[in-house]
Amino acid sequence: MLPRICVKFKLKYVLATVGSLYMLYFFGAFTHFFEKDFEATFDYPLNGDILSDVYQLRHGQQPARHPINRYNYTYITDCEHKCKEDDRLMAPRLVFIVKSAIEHFDRRVAIRKTWGYERRFSDVKIRTVFVLGRPRIEPNRRLQSLVDLEYSTYRDIIQADFVDEYFNNTIKTMMGFRWAVTYCPRAKFYMFADDDFYVSAKNLLRYVRNPVNYPEYLEETDEALRKLARRLAHTTDNSSANVEAEHRPKDRTKRQLMAEMELPPNVKLFSGFVFRSAPHRHRSSKWYVSLDEYPWDMWPTYVTAGAFLLSHEALFEMYYVSMYTKHFRFDDIFLGIVAMKAGIEPLHSEEFYFHKAPYLGPQSYKYVLATHGYDDLTELTKVWNEVRAAGYA
């Protein structure tokens, strides 16, 4: 009797041990022992110095090494016309490239009426396009016919021949890059955003004038104007004021003061909410990554892909560097790798929210650039209209 009890006890012990080891394996506890040190060994394919190849490719020369990754998907609709009418003097200042799910017709309508409205400012040219893939079920003639109708109505759909699903977001993003380089190459800034975001075009246009010091520099500008107003208010001798005016610059409005702040055209700005984190190694995670796919213990510095801003030079440089970068299925990580290989350091701004910024009235969104969590389109429209009326959108 006693030996039988001992056998049962040992069996339970063995099963418990095996179960515990499996759970540790499942949640990635052992995987961490085999990760490579990011700081010491990171060298993502294509390995080595690729920037000379990138320079040659970008300038129409024959590079020593051929690209390994071109994202050569066919455009079903390419919006070739969007920037064609814009001459060099009137190129768009800001282009919204919205990554949208194919079936999200209502979200696209809401964005066109709110933050993506192209005629928001009479003196600033804005363009808005939506990037889609094709339906998951092939053929899905009804869904595709609705997209075709939407394109013929609004002419702002960029649709490419890849399956529109979550793990193809890198493809969707890079088809947006390719479109910008091919069909809208003279814009100054490109804002990529998912279709469940609130975005302030006005704040973005203010942000790009002084991104490092945003929003503090706006307060300084306001204070400069207040000082100017006080000085003018204390001028009592009109004749002497007129004489002085002949020898000083014209009094500057806020728009004129802000116009003096302008980033140089060659600045490589890649900005948003910046993260530094480690790969998910537990197999239950939606974002699980194996050692075969990515062996290092940390991700490169990256910008959350829901909303990010690129200057002209940054977009072009990253697009060509992407051709020498092995594909990765998470778009924010892929762009982080590309930026690192390009020597571009992502710029963090607290006014890009990867979660939903609490809305406590227009004043709470005074400086917000972009915030996630607006899949309720009635709420999006209400908030944007209120913030716009207050002068912050």
Side-chain angles (χ1 to χ4, degrees), residues 83-268:
C83 299
K84 183 172 275 189
E85 73 276 16
D86 303 318
D87 60 31
R88 190 170 295 275
L89 296 177
M90 291 296 292
R93 181 161 182 80
L94 178 63
V95 177
F96 287 121
I97 300 176
V98 185
K99 297 173 291 176
S100 183
I102 190 169
E103 66 274 12
H104 288 175
F105 298 96
D106 54 347
R107 293 190 188 185
R108 294 192 285 276
V109 169
I111 289 170
R112 292 183 186 105
K113 294 178 178 178
T114 56
W115 58 264
Y117 182 57
E118 293 186 336
R119 295 184 177 86
R120 173 70 182 90
F121 306 103
S122 60
D123 58 343
V124 178
K125 185 161 287 188
I126 294 173
R127 292 289 178 261
T128 301
V129 293
F130 300 89
V131 185
L132 317 178
R134 60 174 171 78
R136 296 181 188 89
I137 303 172
E138 189 65 35
N140 189 333
R141 292 189 176 86
R142 179 181 178 278
L143 184 56
Q144 185 58 51
S145 65
L146 289 173
V147 173
D148 294 341
L149 177 61
E150 182 182 16
Y151 176 76
S152 65
T153 302
Y154 298 104
R155 293 177 58 77
D156 59 5
I157 300 292
I158 301 167
Q159 188 181 19
D161 189 20
F162 64 90
V163 177
D164 202 318
E165 61 184 14
Y166 178 77
F167 286 117
N168 280 344
N169 269 339
T170 298
I171 298 173
K172 183 176 288 187
T173 298
M174 295 316 300
M175 291 303 286
F177 269 68
R178 182 178 149 199
W179 176 85
V181 168
T182 305
Y183 296 115
C184 201
R186 291 195 293 272
K188 292 188 176 181
F189 298 96
Y190 303 86
M191 175 70 181
F192 285 73
D194 289 347
D195 63 10
D196 59 351
F197 265 74
Y198 161 96
V199 178
S200 169
K202 185 170 185 178
N203 284 346
L204 283 170
L205 293 169
R206 299 196 296 179
Y207 176 73
V208 298
R209 296 192 180 281
N210 194 344
V212 174
N213 297 310
Y214 180 90
E216 290 80 9
Y217 89 89
L218 295 174
E219 301 293 346
E220 295 171 3
T221 302
D222 289 341
E223 180 58 27
L225 286 170
R226 284 192 289 269
K227 288 180 179 179
L228 177 63
R230 286 196 295 269
R231 188 171 76 246
L232 294 175
H234 285 87
T235 302
T236 55
D237 187 344
N238 290 333
S239 59
S240 63
N242 290 335
V243 172
E244 182 187 357
E246 293 176 2
H247 296 88
R248 73 166 188 241
K250 292 182 179 179
D251 296 331
R252 296 173 296 172
T253 64
K254 185 170 185 177
R255 176 168 293 188
Q256 288 169 329
L257 280 169
M258 292 180 68
E260 294 174 5
M261 305 175 190
E262 185 74 33
L263 285 177
N266 61 343
V267 165
K268 298 175 184 178

Side-chain angles (χ1 to χ4, degrees), residues 191 204 207 271-273 307 309 349-354 369-370:
M191 175 70 181
L204 283 170
Y207 176 73
S271 185
F273 195 97
L309 181 71
S349 172
E350 292 289 337
E351 300 302 334
F352 283 91
Y353 290 81
F354 74 97
L369 298 166

Side-chain angles (χ1 to χ4, degrees), residues 294-307:
Y294 187 89
W296 294 279
D297 60 350
M298 293 292 294
W299 297 124
T301 303
Y302 64 92
V303 176
T304 53

Side-chain angles (χ1 to χ4, degrees), residues 234-382:
H234 285 87
T235 302
T236 55
D237 187 344
N238 290 333
S239 59
S240 63
N242 290 335
V243 172
E244 182 187 357
E246 293 176 2
H247 296 88
R248 73 166 188 241
K250 292 182 179 179
D251 296 331
R252 296 173 296 172
T253 64
K254 185 170 185 177
R255 176 168 293 188
Q256 288 169 329
L257 280 169
M258 292 180 68
E260 294 174 5
M261 305 175 190
E262 185 74 33
L263 285 177
N266 61 343
V267 165
K268 298 175 184 178
L269 176 67
F270 175 32
S271 185
F273 195 97
V274 176
F275 268 106
R276 187 76 196 278
S277 63
H280 287 218
R281 299 303 188 187
H282 47 95
R283 295 172 183 271
S284 61
S285 172
K286 178 181 180 181
W287 300 283
Y288 166 74
V289 176
S290 70
L291 287 174
D292 288 338
E293 187 176 8
Y294 187 89
W296 294 279
D297 60 350
M298 293 292 294
W299 297 124
T301 303
Y302 64 92
V303 176
T304 53
F308 60 91
L309 181 71
L310 290 159
S311 65
H312 175 276
E313 185 63 20
L315 180 134
F316 270 69
E317 189 73 0
M318 288 175 65
Y319 173 68
Y320 284 98
V321 168
S322 76
M323 295 183 182
Y324 288 91
T325 306
K326 179 184 173 184
H327 173 79
F328 196 80
R329 58 195 166 101
F330 299 145
D331 49 347
D332 46 8
I333 301 302
F334 180 73
L335 291 179
I337 295 170
V338 168
M340 185 176 183
K341 291 169 80 71
I344 298 174
E345 183 177 354
L347 178 65
H348 176 72
S349 172
E350 292 289 337
E351 300 302 334
F352 283 91
Y353 290 81
F354 74 97
H355 55 77
K356 190 172 184 178
Y359 182 69
L360 306 173
Q363 192 70 20
S364 65
Y365 273 39
K366 182 176 182 179
Y367 298 123
V368 169
L369 298 166
T371 173
H372 187 225
Y374 278 91
D375 46 2
D376 182 334
L377 305 180
T378 301
E379 182 186 20
L380 171 66
T381 303
K382 175 181 178 294

